[in-house]
Amino acid sequence: MSAKIIDGRSVATKVRNQVKLATESYYSATGRRPGLATVLVGHDPASHVYINNKRKQCVAAGMVDLHHPLPAEVAQEDLEALLRKLAADDSVSGVLLQLPVPEHLDASALLDCIPAHKDVDGLTTESAGLLARGLRSLRPCTPAGVIELLRVSEIEVSGRHAVIVGRSQLVGKPLSQLLLQSDATVTVAHSRTQNLPSITRDADIIIAAAGVPHLIGATHVKPGATVIDVGIHRTRDGLRGDVDFDAVVDIAGALTPVPGGVGPMTIAMLLSNTLQAATFNTQGMAASVR
Ligand code: NAD
């Protein structure tokens, strides 16, 4: 039997619509709109595309687009000063530093200039610590998008074995925390893991986030398992994921496509985080996040 295809585009549209409605309610109640400050350093074409999409969708959701383009050669201390200024600015609900930054910059130190209550990407050391402790914080967007897809698709997570392939700060590690919080039994595989198929074949839920095209094939998947593909690869034949969709579609119980699976969820969750950050600021909830 063919897997149920999890339609990330439609789930992302619903999230965006909900955020838009909630943003209007926030505006009616406070007379203010959430403001998203995006900081883009240099001219990386892919980063330009990503940031433009984020800015466009932020405006479409009724939020204020506060964009700061900077030259590639900007100095670390100047960029840190800008991030601190945005952190202190009441009209800014959330601050997003587009990664990667040029090599002469220390991305970790830059991210850590963003306070947790404005960290709409959920990537600072403070946010990672709060997440690991299960405390209130803004969740990294792609992992939060995966959790939302599982929730909306009514995939049982509690008590199930989830195998995450990839241990990055951006996806694998925070996702392991979120799945643990949802009471899954979590295994994290990575580039040094031996005999990956024997591990993923035991999974009720596989989340592929290795950045290796078509890494997950028929031998990796238990019949009926849910397979979530985070990978994105631009190929001559279009976008592809870490999962060999055609090889897996008749084995898995549910499967995300690429494109149209996890990808659209990332910006939707960013908007959701920006609104949440605005309410943290307005309701004086920063203290509970810090
Ligand atoms: P990364 O390179 O930082 O991390 C990859 C991880 O996969 C590492 O932990 C590594 O140990 C592991 N890995 C590599 N090869 C492996 C193998 N053969 N077997 C098992 N594990 C292996 O990548 P990332 O930033 O986490 O991104 C992963 C993928 O997800 C990429 O394709 C990226 O483009 C995509 N991505 C998509 C979105 C989205 O919005 N859908 C967001 C972020 C990343």
Side-chain angles (χ1 to χ4, degrees), residues 122-123 131-132 139-150 157 162-188 205-210 228-230 262:
L123 294 179
L131 174 61
R139 306 311 200 202
C141 301
T142 303
V146 169
I147 297 293
E148 181 65 8
L149 281 181
L150 292 171
V157 175
V163 175
I164 304 167
V165 187
R167 59 176 165 183
S168 70
Q169 305 288 351
L170 185 63
V171 185
K173 275 187 197 160
L175 196 47
S176 70
Q177 300 289 348
L178 290 173
L179 286 165
L180 275 177
Q181 284 170 21
S182 301
D183 299 322
T185 301
V186 181
T187 301
V188 181
I205 301 167
I206 300 172
I207 294 151
I228 307 285
D229 192 352
V230 179
V262 175

Coordinates of all heavy atoms in Angstrom, one line a residue, residues 122-123 131-132 139-150 157 162-188 205-210 228-230 262:
G122 N 15.6 30.4 17.4 CA 15.8 29.5 18.5 C 17.2 28.8 18.5 O 17.3 27.7 18.9
L123 N 18.2 29.5 18.1 CA 19.5 28.9 17.8 C 20.6 29.4 18.8 O 21.7 28.9 18.7 CB 20.0 29.2 16.4 CG 19.1 28.5 15.3 CD1 19.6 28.9 13.9 CD2 19.1 27.0 15.5
L131 N 15.7 24.9 26.0 CA 15.1 23.8 25.3 C 15.5 22.5 26.0 O 14.6 21.7 26.3 CB 15.4 23.8 23.8 CG 14.9 22.6 23.0 CD1 13.4 22.5 23.1 CD2 15.4 22.7 21.6
A132 N 16.8 22.4 26.3 CA 17.3 21.1 26.9 C 16.7 20.9 28.3 O 16.5 19.8 28.7 CB 18.8 21.1 26.9
R139 N 11.3 27.9 19.9 CA 11.9 26.6 19.4 C 12.5 26.8 18.0 O 11.9 27.5 17.2 CB 10.8 25.5 19.3 CG 10.0 25.3 20.6 CD 10.9 25.1 21.8 NE 10.3 24.4 22.9 CZ 10.6 24.5 24.2 NH1 11.7 25.3 24.5 NH2 10.0 23.8 25.1
P140 N 13.6 26.2 17.7 CA 14.1 26.2 16.3 C 13.1 25.9 15.3 O 12.3 24.9 15.5 CB 15.3 25.2 16.3 CG 15.7 25.1 17.8 CD 14.4 25.3 18.6
C141 N 13.0 26.6 14.2 CA 11.9 26.6 13.3 C 11.7 25.2 12.6 O 10.6 24.7 12.5 CB 12.0 27.7 12.3 SG 12.1 29.3 13.1
T142 N 12.8 24.7 12.0 CA 12.6 23.4 11.3 C 12.2 22.3 12.2 O 11.2 21.6 11.9 CB 13.9 23.1 10.5 OG1 14.2 24.2 9.6 CG2 13.7 21.9 9.6
P143 N 12.9 22.1 13.3 CA 12.4 21.0 14.2 C 11.0 21.3 14.7 O 10.2 20.3 14.8 CB 13.4 21.1 15.4 CG 14.7 21.7 14.8 CD 14.2 22.6 13.8
A144 N 10.6 22.5 15.0 CA 9.3 22.8 15.4 C 8.3 22.5 14.3 O 7.2 22.0 14.5 CB 9.1 24.3 15.8
G145 N 8.7 22.7 13.1 CA 7.9 22.4 11.9 C 7.6 20.9 11.8 O 6.5 20.4 11.5
V146 N 8.7 20.1 12.1 CA 8.6 18.6 12.0 C 7.5 18.2 13.1 O 6.7 17.4 12.8 CB 9.9 18.0 12.3 CG1 9.8 16.4 12.5 CG2 10.9 18.2 11.1
I147 N 7.6 18.7 14.3 CA 6.7 18.3 15.3 C 5.3 18.7 15.0 O 4.3 17.9 15.2 CB 7.1 19.0 16.7 CG1 8.5 18.6 17.1 CG2 6.1 18.8 17.8 CD1 8.6 17.1 17.5
E148 N 5.1 19.9 14.4 CA 3.8 20.3 13.9 C 3.2 19.4 12.9 O 2.0 19.0 12.9 CB 3.8 21.8 13.5 CG 2.5 22.4 13.0 CD 1.5 22.5 14.1 OE1 1.8 22.3 15.3 OE2 0.3 22.9 13.8
L149 N 4.1 19.0 11.9 CA 3.6 18.0 10.9 C 3.1 16.7 11.5 O 2.1 16.2 11.1 CB 4.7 17.8 9.9 CG 5.0 18.8 8.8 CD1 6.2 18.3 7.9 CD2 3.8 19.1 8.0
L150 N 3.9 16.2 12.5 CA 3.5 15.0 13.1 C 2.2 15.1 13.9 O 1.3 14.3 13.8 CB 4.6 14.5 14.1 CG 5.9 14.1 13.5 CD1 7.0 13.9 14.6 CD2 5.8 12.8 12.7
V157 N 3.3 9.8 18.7 CA 4.8 10.0 19.0 C 5.1 9.3 20.4 O 6.1 8.7 20.6 CB 5.2 11.5 19.0 CG1 6.6 11.6 19.4 CG2 4.9 12.1 17.6
A162 N 11.7 6.9 17.8 CA 12.0 7.9 16.7 C 13.5 7.9 16.5 O 14.3 8.0 17.4 CB 11.5 9.3 17.1
V163 N 13.9 7.7 15.2 CA 15.3 7.7 14.9 C 15.6 9.0 14.0 O 14.9 9.1 13.0 CB 15.8 6.5 14.1 CG1 17.2 6.6 13.6 CG2 15.6 5.2 15.0
I164 N 16.4 9.8 14.6 CA 16.8 11.1 13.8 C 18.1 10.8 13.2 O 19.1 10.3 13.9 CB 16.9 12.3 14.8 CG1 15.7 12.5 15.6 CG2 17.3 13.5 14.0 CD1 15.8 13.4 16.7
V165 N 18.2 11.0 11.9 CA 19.5 10.8 11.2 C 20.1 12.2 11.0 O 19.7 12.9 10.1 CB 19.3 10.0 9.9 CG1 20.7 9.7 9.3 CG2 18.5 8.8 10.1
G166 N 21.1 12.5 11.8 CA 21.8 13.8 11.8 C 21.7 14.4 13.2 O 20.7 14.3 13.9
R167 N 22.8 15.1 13.6 CA 22.9 15.6 15.0 C 23.3 17.1 14.9 O 24.1 17.5 15.8 CB 23.9 14.8 15.8 CG 25.3 14.8 15.2 CD 26.3 14.1 16.0 NE 27.5 13.8 15.2 CZ 28.6 13.1 15.7 NH1 28.6 12.6 16.9 NH2 29.6 12.9 14.9
S168 N 22.9 17.8 13.9 CA 23.3 19.2 13.8 C 22.6 20.1 14.9 O 21.6 19.7 15.5 CB 23.0 19.8 12.5 OG 21.6 19.9 12.3
Q169 N 23.3 21.2 15.2 CA 22.6 22.2 16.1 C 21.3 22.7 15.6 O 20.4 23.1 16.3 CB 23.6 23.4 16.3 CG 25.0 23.1 16.8 CD 25.0 22.6 18.2 OE1 24.0 22.6 19.0 NE2 26.2 22.1 18.7
L170 N 21.3 22.8 14.2 CA 20.1 23.4 13.6 C 18.9 22.5 13.6 O 17.8 22.9 13.8 CB 20.5 23.7 12.1 CG 19.5 24.5 11.2 CD1 19.2 25.8 11.8 CD2 20.1 24.6 9.8
V171 N 19.1 21.2 13.4 CA 18.0 20.2 13.2 C 18.1 19.1 14.2 O 17.2 19.0 15.1 CB 17.9 19.7 11.8 CG1 16.7 18.8 11.6 CG2 18.0 20.8 10.7
G172 N 19.0 18.2 14.1 CA 19.0 16.9 14.8 C 19.0 17.1 16.3 O 18.1 16.5 16.9
K173 N 19.9 17.9 16.9 CA 19.9 18.0 18.3 C 18.6 18.6 18.9 O 18.0 18.0 19.8 CB 21.1 18.8 18.8 CG 22.3 18.0 18.9 CD 23.5 18.8 19.5 CE 24.8 18.0 19.2 NZ 25.9 18.9 19.4
P174 N 18.2 19.8 18.4 CA 16.9 20.3 19.0 C 15.7 19.4 18.8 O 14.9 19.3 19.6 CB 16.7 21.7 18.3 CG 17.7 21.7 17.2 CD 18.8 20.7 17.5
L175 N 15.7 18.7 17.6 CA 14.6 17.8 17.4 C 14.6 16.6 18.4 O 13.5 16.2 18.8 CB 14.7 17.2 15.9 CG 13.5 16.6 15.3 CD1 12.3 17.4 15.5 CD2 13.8 16.3 13.8
S176 N 15.8 16.2 18.7 CA 15.8 15.1 19.7 C 15.2 15.6 21.1 O 14.5 14.8 21.7 CB 17.3 14.6 19.9 OG 18.0 15.6 20.6
Q177 N 15.4 16.8 21.4 CA 14.8 17.4 22.6 C 13.3 17.4 22.5 O 12.6 17.1 23.4 CB 15.4 18.8 22.9 CG 16.9 18.8 23.1 CD 17.3 18.2 24.4 OE1 16.5 17.9 25.3 NE2 18.6 17.9 24.6
L178 N 12.9 17.9 21.4 CA 11.4 18.1 21.2 C 10.7 16.7 21.2 O 9.6 16.6 21.7 CB 11.1 18.9 19.9 CG 11.5 20.3 19.9 CD1 11.4 20.9 18.5 CD2 10.7 21.1 20.9
L179 N 11.3 15.8 20.6 CA 10.7 14.4 20.5 C 10.7 13.8 21.9 O 9.8 13.1 22.3 CB 11.4 13.5 19.5 CG 11.1 13.9 18.0 CD1 12.1 13.2 17.1 CD2 9.7 13.5 17.7
L180 N 11.8 14.0 22.7 CA 11.8 13.5 24.0 C 10.7 14.1 24.8 O 10.0 13.5 25.6 CB 13.2 13.9 24.7 CG 14.3 12.9 24.5 CD1 15.6 13.5 25.2 CD2 14.0 11.5 25.0
Q181 N 10.5 15.5 24.6 CA 9.4 16.1 25.4 C 8.0 15.6 25.0 O 7.1 15.8 25.7 CB 9.5 17.6 25.1 CG 10.6 18.3 25.9 CD 10.9 19.7 25.5 OE1 10.0 20.4 25.0 NE2 12.0 20.2 25.8
S182 N 8.0 15.0 23.7 CA 6.7 14.4 23.3 C 6.7 12.9 23.7 O 5.8 12.2 23.2 CB 6.6 14.5 21.8 OG 6.6 15.9 21.4
D183 N 7.6 12.5 24.6 CA 7.6 11.2 25.1 C 8.0 10.1 24.1 O 7.6 8.9 24.3 CB 6.3 10.8 25.8 CG 6.0 11.8 26.9 OD1 6.9 12.1 27.7 OD2 4.8 12.2 27.1
A184 N 8.7 10.4 23.1 CA 9.2 9.4 22.2 C 10.5 8.8 22.8 O 11.1 9.4 23.7 CB 9.6 10.0 20.8
T185 N 10.8 7.6 22.4 CA 12.1 7.0 22.7 C 13.0 7.4 21.5 O 12.7 7.0 20.3 CB 12.0 5.5 22.8 OG1 11.1 5.2 23.8 CG2 13.4 4.8 23.1
V186 N 14.1 8.1 21.8 CA 14.8 8.8 20.7 C 16.2 8.2 20.5 O 16.9 8.1 21.4 CB 14.9 10.3 20.9 CG1 15.6 11.0 19.8 CG2 13.5 10.9 21.2
T187 N 16.5 7.9 19.2 CA 17.9 7.5 18.9 C 18.4 8.6 17.9 O 17.6 9.0 17.0 CB 17.9 6.1 18.2 OG1 17.3 5.2 19.1 CG2 19.3 5.7 17.7
V188 N 19.6 9.0 18.1 CA 20.2 10.0 17.1 C 21.3 9.3 16.4 O 22.3 8.9 17.0 CB 20.6 11.3 17.9 CG1 21.2 12.3 16.8 CG2 19.5 11.9 18.6
I205 N 9.3 6.1 13.7 CA 9.4 7.4 13.0 C 10.8 7.6 12.6 O 11.7 7.6 13.5 CB 8.9 8.5 13.9 CG1 7.4 8.3 14.4 CG2 9.0 9.9 13.2 CD1 7.0 9.2 15.5
I206 N 11.1 7.9 11.3 CA 12.4 8.2 10.9 C 12.4 9.7 10.5 O 11.6 10.1 9.7 CB 12.9 7.4 9.7 CG1 12.9 5.9 10.0 CG2 14.2 7.8 9.2 CD1 13.1 5.0 8.8
I207 N 13.4 10.4 11.0 CA 13.6 11.8 10.5 C 14.9 11.9 9.9 O 16.0 11.8 10.6 CB 13.3 12.8 11.7 CG1 11.9 12.7 12.1 CG2 13.6 14.2 11.2 CD1 11.6 13.0 13.5
A208 N 14.9 12.1 8.6 CA 16.2 12.2 7.8 C 16.7 13.6 7.7 O 16.0 14.4 7.1 CB 16.0 11.6 6.5
A209 N 17.8 13.9 8.4 CA 18.3 15.3 8.4 C 19.9 15.2 8.3 O 20.6 15.7 9.2 CB 17.9 16.1 9.6
A210 N 20.4 14.5 7.3 CA 21.8 14.2 7.2 C 22.4 15.1 6.1 O 23.6 15.2 6.1 CB 22.0 12.7 6.9
I228 N 10.0 11.3 7.7 CA 10.0 12.7 7.6 C 11.3 13.1 7.0 O 12.4 12.8 7.5 CB 9.8 13.5 8.9 CG1 8.5 13.0 9.7 CG2 9.8 15.0 8.7 CD1 7.2 13.4 9.1
D229 N 11.3 13.8 5.8 CA 12.5 14.1 5.1 C 12.8 15.6 5.2 O 12.1 16.5 4.7 CB 12.3 13.8 3.6 CG 13.5 13.8 2.8 OD1 14.6 14.2 3.3 OD2 13.5 13.4 1.6
V230 N 13.9 15.9 6.0 CA 14.2 17.3 6.2 C 15.2 17.8 5.1 O 15.3 19.0 4.8 CB 14.9 17.5 7.6 CG1 15.3 18.9 7.8 CG2 13.9 17.1 8.7
V262 N 8.7 19.3 4.7 CA 9.2 20.1 5.8 C 9.5 21.5 5.4 O 9.3 22.4 6.2 CB 10.4 19.4 6.4 CG1 11.0 20.2 7.5 CG2 10.0 18.0 7.0

